Amino acid sequence: MQRGFDVKRLVLAAFAMSCVSQKGGAPAEKRPGAVPAHAEPAAPPASPARIDAVRPAPLGTAPPEPILEVMTAELARSMGELTRHSDPPYFAAYEVSDARRVNITAAFGTLRASSDSRSRMVDIEVRVGDHKLDNTHAPRDRSVGAGRNSTSASLPTEDDAYALRSILWLRTDEAYKRAAEQLTKVQANAKVKVDAEDTSDDFSRETPSQYLEPPAAIAIDRAAWEARLRAASSAFRGHPEIVTGSVSLSASVETHYYTNTEGTRYQTPEVHLRISIAATAKADDGMELHRFESMDAGAVERMPTDAQIRAKVDAVIRDLIALRRAPVAEPYIGPAILEGRAAGVFFHEVFGHRIEGHRQKSENEGQTFAKKVGQPIMPDFMDVYDDPSIATINGVELNGFFRFDNEGVAGQKASLVESGVLRTFLLGRSPTRGFTRSNGHGRRQEGMSVVPRQGNLVVAPSRTMPREALRAKLLEEAAKQGKPFGLILRELDGGFTMTTRFEPQSFKLLPVMVVRLYPDGREELVRGADLEGTPLGALSSILAAGDDVATFNGYCGAESGYVPVSASSPSLLVSRLELARKRKSQDRPPILPPPPSGGGT
């Protein structure tokens, strides 16, 4: 099972995704309530969705930092020694992540936590064998990704050459021994198993590159931010309906250093700041309700103002109060609109995980699209690509931006679907049928093995229609199917998908803001629904796209850990979505009344 987006990434660290800043890109939306009657259907314009993508200019001309020089020297020395063995490595790489992280959380007007930490971690990869067959080859009697192809260790945060090299030396020795042992097992496994369907090489040949940016830094005034978050979170105090409510700052600056035996070297900085707003409430029937919002930025000066943070907090409070009063959703199958951010999560789960390259190769995977290259898999007005080299879309900063992936390959645009036809996959350095080169999507969290992952997934239809026309088409489709209303899914918590053969080839998404749209234009908020389905059916049911493009930023969890991602999409009308009842708690709301908001007795 592949985990995908989830809003609790920075709250519970159990799922994978969180929400996006709405600074541009997303249209203003109406909260549940009465709205004017819908407009007459409008002829869809021929214009594509408006996607203004910005790719920052390359800046890789800085001198190498001392730690990169140490890594390069020790890698060369270690490989020189190891080539004398009977099973010498044919490839090795070091990747170091040097990170500073500031985390502050306030709840109900008081400080809960505040920390400022620094760390360095190295991932060491050693490959024994050759490009055709090496120690990383996945045995065909267990799930891909079940093993580790790298060795990890903490490093000193000071640039003491001997201290650094001593750890690199010892862990490289460990990685080599493990790789040599694993190659023996791989060779034995190949002899006793039937021939593989996909006989592609285990490792691709790539052109070496050099790219060196200067390390980044952030200046965070912790005392000032602690005061700001206290003030913002105090808005929850006056609402007894709110059981938990917090506002957090997560700020990180990481510099990634990479060197391999092919001659590739890079040092690239990543700066990410996020304001997270999380709150929960409990309905009278025991159902737990929650809302999460976030605002992301790539620089301190682009962080939201106090007024913008407070506006988000107030919106979360309003939504929870409305959800407590809303009726419970009944099981439903019929037409629905997935609004921009929800549509992005939908595509991430339904499509994005299934076109990751390693899933086409492993015979334990469902391989939904493995043999569909050149075939239509969705309507002919749909284009989809993933491009980690994009930093912003329509002014919204993207979480999935990176210069180089974790295998030393520049992040590149992968045109996945063109006019509804599947063209390629997300590829790292593990080739698959007909694809021998990486497109720069090999990714991992520190300490995990690399697999191809999504970066910035973009749904870019060539034909769109205005919001009101899309709503009118929803009602038209509902009438055609004999439904008393159509559904609008405005916000999703996240979701997960199952891709292996022994599991159902299905997905589940977790909507929180679901609206029934009636023929007279009236909207009714409902709660307690899960969205379920199968990928081929869901993608083939897309009827139309809106002219609004919104972005969902967050983190995605899968075999290689949690990585930052984004998904951008206009609103989508689908002819057939299925809602099921959400599991709910059987516990009553708190029996005791909440304490006075002023802290008195």
Side-chain angles (χ1 to χ4, degrees):
M1 181 170 68
Q2 306 313 319
R3 293 292 184 185
F5 286 151
D6 176 49
V7 301
K8 302 186 189 69
R9 169 66 177 118
L10 301 178
V11 182
L12 299 181
F15 242 359
M17 187 62 183
S18 49
C19 298
V20 69
S21 166
Q22 296 187 43
K23 300 176 294 180
E29 64 180 35
K30 297 178 182 177
R31 293 289 164 185
V35 296
H38 67 274
E40 290 300 316
S47 59
R50 185 182 71 85
I51 298 174
D52 296 330
V54 175
R55 295 176 178 83
L59 302 170
T61 58
E65 291 294 302
I67 186 171
L68 184 58
E69 298 283 48
V70 169
M71 293 163 57
T72 304
E74 183 56 32
L75 182 62
R77 189 191 72 85
S78 295
M79 284 297 287
E81 294 292 331
L82 290 172
T83 53
R84 302 175 185 177
H85 288 256
S86 57
D87 286 322
Y90 75 95
F91 174 88
Y94 294 160
E95 183 179 15
V96 169
S97 175
D98 188 327
R100 179 195 171 201
R101 295 182 174 91
V102 176
N103 292 287
I104 306 171
T105 299
F108 294 103
T110 186
L111 192 66
R112 286 283 181 88
S114 181
S115 64
D116 188 340
S117 62
R118 170 86 184 280
S119 65
R120 269 182 180 169
M121 176 173 281
V122 62
D123 285 289
I124 299 172
E125 181 179 12
V126 176
R127 289 177 177 259
V128 178
D130 55 35
H131 288 81
K132 181 65 179 175
L133 182 73
D134 67 23
N135 56 286
T136 69
H137 192 87
R140 280 173 284 130
D141 54 2
R142 59 176 170 82
S143 175
V144 65
R148 286 272 307 281
N149 298 331
S150 64
T151 297
S152 304
S154 295
L155 291 178
T157 57
E158 297 178 347
D159 292 332
D160 183 292
Y162 178 78
L164 293 168
R165 292 184 70 160
S166 63
I167 296 174
L168 294 174
W169 154 70
L170 189 61
R171 292 310 178 103
T172 302
D173 182 78
E174 175 186 327
Y176 168 72
K177 292 174 180 174
R178 179 187 299 171
E181 180 181 1
Q182 185 63 25
L183 178 63
T184 302
K185 295 178 181 178
V186 165
Q187 292 168 334
N189 185 267
K191 291 179 180 179
V192 300
K193 299 296 180 182
V194 298
D195 293 340
E197 292 182 18
D198 188 339
T199 58
S200 303
D201 291 356
D202 281 338
F203 201 53
S204 67
R205 290 172 169 84
E206 304 293 340
T207 303
S209 58
Q210 298 269 341
Y211 184 90
L212 306 175
E213 280 191 44
I218 51 174
I220 297 291
D221 186 335
R222 284 176 62 192
W225 272 103
E226 289 168 359
R228 292 179 67 181
L229 298 186
R230 284 191 192 96
S233 68
S234 66
F236 293 116
R237 294 173 73 109
H239 297 277
E241 307 93 340
I242 305 299
V243 177
T244 65
S246 64
V247 184
S248 301
L249 167 68
S250 173
S252 68
V253 55
E254 298 184 47
T255 303
H256 296 273
Y257 302 94
Y258 179 92
T259 183
N260 69 23
T261 51
E262 297 170 334
T264 291
R265 290 205 312 174
Y266 69 71
Q267 61 184 37
T268 57
E270 292 181 7
V271 178
H272 183 215
L273 301 104
R274 161 169 286 192
I275 296 294
S276 304
I277 301 158
T280 63
K282 200 170 181 68
D284 291 340
D285 62 1
M287 182 175 292
E288 295 176 349
L289 308 167
H290 57 271
R291 284 289 288 116
F292 181 96
E293 286 288 347
S294 67
M295 291 169 277
D296 298 84
V300 174
E301 59 269 20
R302 296 197 295 273
M303 288 291 283
T305 65
D306 290 344
Q308 290 170 324
I309 297 172
R310 179 57 187 262
K312 287 285 188 182
V313 173
D314 290 343
V316 165
I317 293 170
R318 288 197 304 271
D319 285 350
L320 285 175
I321 292 173
L323 285 167
R324 289 189 75 250
R325 299 169 180 166
V328 176
E330 296 295 331
Y332 170 91
I333 186 166
I337 290 174
L338 293 134
E339 292 195 342
R341 297 198 301 170
V345 178
F346 171 82
F347 252 86
H348 175 96
E349 296 295 348
V350 175
F351 177 70
H353 278 298
R354 284 180 167 78
I355 45 84
E356 292 164 341
H358 61 297
R359 305 197 194 287
Q360 323 314 315
K361 196 170 184 177
S362 170
E363 293 180 24
N364 295 305
E365 287 285 323
Q367 298 182 342
T368 306
F369 300 113
K371 297 182 180 179
K372 293 187 179 295
V373 175
Q375 299 179 26
I377 60 171
M378 59 185 74
D380 62 7
F381 61 88
M382 295 295 291
D383 291 341
V384 185
Y385 61 88
D386 190 292
D387 191 349
S389 70
I390 296 174
T392 67
I393 283 182
N394 298 347
V396 177
E397 298 184 56
L398 304 183
N399 261 20
F401 167 73
F402 57 85
R403 300 279 192 182
F404 283 81
D405 71 3
N406 297 109
E407 294 181 305
V409 180
Q412 305 157 36
K413 179 179 180 179
S415 295
L416 305 168
V417 175
E418 297 174 351
S419 301
V421 176
L422 181 66
R423 294 301 182 191
T424 190
F425 303 109
L426 301 175
L427 301 167
R429 294 193 65 174
S430 177
T432 188
R433 299 176 181 88
F435 299 96
T436 61
R437 301 290 296 274
S438 170
N439 53 31
H441 283 80
R443 307 186 67 195
R444 66 169 164 216
Q445 181 182 350
E446 294 89 344
M448 308 295 287
S449 298
V450 173
V451 297
R453 301 287 296 276
Q454 297 169 70
N456 294 322
L457 188 69
V458 182
V459 181
S462 60
R463 186 174 69 243
T464 66
M465 61 176 60
R467 174 188 173 90
E468 288 304 316
L470 197 67
R471 289 163 60 93
K473 193 169 181 64
L474 168 64
L475 292 175
E476 178 185 306
E477 185 65 24
K480 187 186 301 183
Q481 296 184 29
K483 305 294 181 181
F485 52 78
L487 288 184
I488 300 176
L489 283 73
R490 292 212 163 114
E491 296 289 349
L492 299 180
D493 263 7
F496 57 90
T497 188
M498 292 175 283
T499 64
T500 57
R501 294 190 185 188
F502 64 88
E503 297 171 316
Q505 295 299 293
S506 61
F507 62 87
K508 175 176 280 193
L509 303 181
L510 311 174
V512 287
M513 301 300 290
V514 180
V515 170
R516 293 170 178 164
L517 178 65
Y518 291 92
D520 62 358
R522 178 171 58 92
E523 293 186 359
E524 181 185 30
L525 179 68
V526 294
R527 60 181 170 90
D530 283 343
L531 171 59
E532 301 175 345
T534 56
L536 294 176
L539 293 173
S540 64
S541 71
I542 298 171
L543 296 177
D547 60 3
D548 55 332
V549 175
T551 296
F552 202 114
N553 274 324
Y555 293 80
C556 172
E559 303 96 326
S560 61
Y562 288 104
V563 296
V565 295
S566 77
S568 302
S569 176
S571 297
L572 298 173
L573 170 62
V574 295
S575 63
R576 187 180 178 90
L577 278 186
E578 183 170 352
L579 289 188
R581 281 195 165 189
K582 185 187 296 289
R583 184 182 65 179
K584 74 179 184 70
S585 168
Q586 299 303 309
D587 294 333
R588 292 181 179 274
I591 297 173
L592 293 174
S597 60
T601 57

